[in-house]
Amino acid sequence: MNYGYIRVAAAVPQIKVANPEYNAEQIISLIKEAAKNDVELLVFPELSLTSATCGDIFLNKKLIDSAEQALSGILTACSDNTPLIVLGMPVIVGNKTYNAAVLFQNGKILHIIPKSHLSQTEKRWFSSGKEISSELKMFCGQDTMFTSHYICQSGEITITAGIGEDALSANESDCDSLIREANIIAMPAAYPEVAGRYSRIRSCISTMSEKNHTGYVFASAGVGESTTDYVYSGASIIAENGKIITEGERFNDSGSLTISEIDIELLMHERRSDNGFNRPNNKTDYIHAEFSRKVQKSIKLLRKINAHPFVPADKDELSERCIEIFNIQTAGLIQRMRHTGCTKAVVGISGGLDSTLSLLVTVNAFDKSGLDRKDIIGTTMPGFGTTDRTYTNAVSMINSLGATFMEINLKQACLQHFKDIDHDIDNHNTVYENAQARERTQILMDMANKNGAMLVGTGDMSEIALGWSTYNGDHMSMYNVNCGVPKTLARYMVAWIAMKQQGDIRNILLDVVNTPISPELVPADKNGNIKQKTEDLVGPYELHDFFLYNFMRHGFSPSKIQFLATEAFGEKYGKGTIKHWLTIFFRRFFSMQFKRSCSPDGPAVGSIGLSPRGGWIMPSDVAAGIWIKECENLQD
């Protein structure tokens, strides 16, 4: 099972200028190496069979004939079990010479695509293929079509080639239409290196792949090209939907293969989800041809799967993300308080991660609004499971940040409530836990009313996804600043804020980051440590955030999510463990929609949100059977 992936490669052969025979030998070697690595699409640079720097020799028919003869040798040598190959070379049609890409597989030429967008220098030797609709040509002893309106297809995979600027010129209707028809763009190129050009090309490929929800396989001329006026670096890039999946080493002194996978299932989901992309396509006269794929029972990905998709791997990007989200949370709270006329806020502080982030956002909002931090009422409410560690951190944090400290013990109110409803105090079931959570919310709501204040919520997006909150308890607030922040990112945000602080507050925040996640609703162990650890009960949040991202962002099935999680986490979690928590994720995600359907307002901070007002719209009684059944049938 390939889970929607196709393995692709950009090949940069070591070549000699105007020596097709030698170049063919290098190309054959790379084709065979790619086949051994299960590559299904292989892209060579522009004019790589002759070299791109032949100059006026391109006008000599001897060179063109030699290139055709060399291609015949490649077709003979690579007649079995090869990838779909895109190879750049000059081709004569009628009285004109074209800069072309030949598409072939298993010794058979499928098509020849001419380059349309030529520089002034290229026009000295080549004609543009822009005006050619389609033309039958005998080439290497085979009948083949010569046109730029061509799609190579296998199932949902649709591939076309765009030589150099052809692949980046989506402003023109024909190019735009063709690129939107295909979901993988093979891009043979021959860009000479000048300062800043590679960065521009890299950025263009990333932008185009995101705009059109496509994969790009870019291979540019390299070692062996003439350096009379320019140097060619042999750049190679594989991109997908705005992300650079991998790129080869530039200025490599030998032939190279850059191999990775493109996720067709992801691209098709993005296209279905983007109504702006799905505008009518007026160009329908494409020539389609089938290419064959290797039958694979399973695939081991070469590309790296990010185990924490909500958390950027690059430190600078992570810092930038934290700043942006913190500012979004702050701006949302400022506007809500301004609209309601509130100049005070109530925040329930447990000493845990989420309430800490909410308090930090509230402090930042008050500072930016010129309000006194003393009008933030930080309320801690010890219950039957509160430990010294979290209590101490809560008290110290409120005081260190200059908020007003309030402590209200839950125990007597809950004992009276248990007596009223005839509940055994020693029965630590859902009633025992939820009574404390609802008592806390009642206190916070009433404190907000008493002080004319805004009750700021604390529940994060991961908890909202799993329904890990008490209905009409911690589920409710007047404005929830954390609703768009997943648990894995919340931990980094608090740590990021901590590192910008000085003195005691820094150490307090770092200890909060390292405290086990717990609602602390059942008594501590005999040593006073947290006994009720959320991740022991509901599962590791890093797994659930991984499941949530891949289900909501890409619409992946349970089987693909399990496969990706196995790839991402390696030996940390076995397939059986992933299956167990994945099943729980889908059960909880679907069954807990009723809590999300009446959740309080709060700011979206990323591409995924669970607000019932636009982030995630789903009936509360939707059937989850097809997802649960697939989870149960997964291999352990």
Side-chain angles (χ1 to χ4, degrees), residues 101-228:
V102 180
L103 282 69
F104 61 95
Q105 184 179 36
N106 298 331
K108 178 176 174 55
I109 298 175
L110 302 178
H111 200 80
I112 303 175
I113 295 178
K115 185 175 183 179
S116 296
H117 294 78
L118 304 176
S119 68
Q120 284 302 119
T121 303
E122 287 178 293
K123 290 177 182 178
R124 179 182 177 105
W125 313 303
F126 301 115
S127 296
S128 170
K130 188 179 296 186
E131 303 303 323
I132 297 176
S133 55
S134 63
E135 190 166 328
L136 186 64
K137 175 176 175 57
M138 176 67 71
F139 196 65
C140 294
Q142 301 183 26
D143 285 332
T144 186
M145 293 300 297
F146 181 80
T147 177
S148 58
H149 302 145
Y150 178 79
I151 297 290
C152 211
Q153 188 165 13
S154 179
E156 283 196 314
I157 301 172
T158 49
I159 300 170
T160 194
I163 305 171
E165 290 301 311
D166 285 1
L168 302 179
S169 300
N171 293 328
E172 301 193 17
S173 59
D174 280 6
C175 288
D176 178 53
S177 191
L178 183 62
I179 287 173
R180 292 161 67 85
E181 180 81 6
N183 50 38
I184 295 182
I185 310 300
M187 186 177 172
Y191 288 110
E193 287 291 335
V194 293
R197 175 174 284 171
Y198 178 72
S199 178
R200 180 190 72 82
I201 293 168
R202 190 179 187 277
S203 178
C204 283
I205 289 173
S206 176
T207 300
M208 289 296 295
S209 70
E210 182 174 33
K211 173 187 174 184
N212 292 305
H213 309 304
T214 52
Y216 269 74
V217 185
F218 167 82
S220 189
V223 59
E225 292 287 354
S226 169
T227 57
T228 300

Side-chain angles (χ1 to χ4, degrees), residues 428-630:
H428 299 164
N429 62 2
T430 303
V431 174
Y432 179 88
E433 294 184 26
N434 285 356
Q436 295 173 73
R438 291 194 177 101
E439 181 63 26
R440 283 174 175 158
T441 300
Q442 176 177 262
I443 290 169
L444 293 172
M445 286 285 187
D446 290 344
M447 284 292 297
N449 291 159
K450 178 182 176 181
N451 291 279
M454 173 78 64
L455 172 55
V456 181
T458 62
D460 64 52
M461 187 167 70
S462 306
E463 293 179 342
I464 293 169
L466 296 169
W468 192 249
S469 58
T470 298
Y471 193 72
N472 206 33
D474 51 312
H475 155 257
M476 193 48 61
S477 65
M478 295 176 181
Y479 191 75
N480 185 4
V481 294
N482 287 346
C483 65
V485 182
K487 186 78 75 179
T488 47
L489 186 54
R491 189 181 298 278
Y492 279 93
M493 288 190 66
V494 173
W496 168 77
I497 296 169
M499 298 310 294
K500 296 183 176 296
Q501 309 300 315
Q502 302 293 329
D504 292 342
I505 187 62
R506 178 173 182 167
N507 294 328
I508 295 166
L509 294 178
L510 290 176
D511 192 59
V512 168
V513 169
N514 293 312
T515 300
I517 299 166
S518 172
E520 294 193 319
L521 297 174
V522 299
D525 64 19
K526 61 182 180 180
N527 297 317
N529 295 319
I530 294 172
K531 183 178 180 180
Q532 184 188 27
K533 296 179 180 178
T534 298
E535 291 183 291
D536 291 343
L537 301 171
V538 77
Y541 272 115
E542 64 177 353
L543 276 180
H544 285 305
D545 281 358
F546 185 88
F547 302 156
L548 179 67
Y549 181 88
N550 283 287
F551 174 67
M552 288 190 62
R553 183 68 181 83
H554 300 311
F556 290 158
S557 65
S559 59
K560 183 164 183 175
I561 294 173
Q562 184 199 39
F563 165 74
L564 291 175
T566 304
E567 292 276 323
F569 290 99
E571 297 180 358
K572 187 172 184 179
Y573 304 107
K575 289 181 71 174
T577 300
I578 293 170
K579 172 186 175 180
H580 172 73
W581 294 121
L582 183 60
T583 305
I584 286 177
F585 168 80
F586 276 104
R587 287 189 188 280
R588 294 194 67 93
F589 184 84
F590 279 94
S591 66
M592 294 296 167
Q593 176 66 21
F594 75 98
K595 293 184 182 180
R596 298 190 290 269
S597 292
C598 56
S599 58
D601 292 354
V605 301
S607 59
I608 292 176
L610 288 168
S611 167
R613 294 164 292 276
W616 179 256
I617 300 173
M618 182 174 80
S620 296
D621 50 3
V622 68
I626 57 176
W627 291 273
I628 301 301
K629 184 177 180 180
E630 184 171 332

Side-chain angles (χ1 to χ4, degrees), residues 50-67:
T50 56
S51 88
T53 51
C54 291
D56 285 348
I57 302 297
F58 281 127
L59 298 174
N60 191 295
K61 191 171 183 296
K62 179 66 176 178
L63 176 69
I64 312 300
D65 291 343
S66 295

